[in-house]
Amino acid sequence: MEGSPLTIRYFAGARAAAGRAEEAIPAGPSLDDLAAELTQRHGDRLAGVLRVASFLVNGVTCHDRQAPLPAGATIDVLPPFAGG
């Protein structure tokens, strides 16, 4: 399903910085491109979170921020968590 939007789910500090728990955006080619789009939409506060966040793509940790994102994927934005 080429062109299917991505579902972005924000957790903890990412949710606070984005001002929402979830949103759908047009498919982007990579996590770096997605981060740039989300920064444009929500500003520098979210940009700071995205720089240190971990990402799950369809439930799988993604370390390669240049890897292609599948159309229709769910992207979880997980900032570093405090506590123990």
Side-chain angles (χ1 to χ4, degrees), residues 3-61:
S4 294
L6 301 171
T7 299
I8 314 302
R9 299 190 306 184
Y10 301 102
F11 294 87
R15 178 182 295 187
R20 66 192 65 221
E22 184 175 301
E23 68 183 310
I25 68 165
S30 71
L31 285 174
D32 277 344
D33 295 317
L34 175 64
E37 171 66 23
L38 296 175
T39 296
Q40 277 190 319
R41 287 174 177 238
H42 302 293
D44 291 337
R45 184 172 174 209
L46 182 60
V49 173
L50 295 174
R51 279 192 289 276
V52 296
S54 298
F55 297 90
L56 301 181
V57 178
N58 291 330
V60 177
T61 302

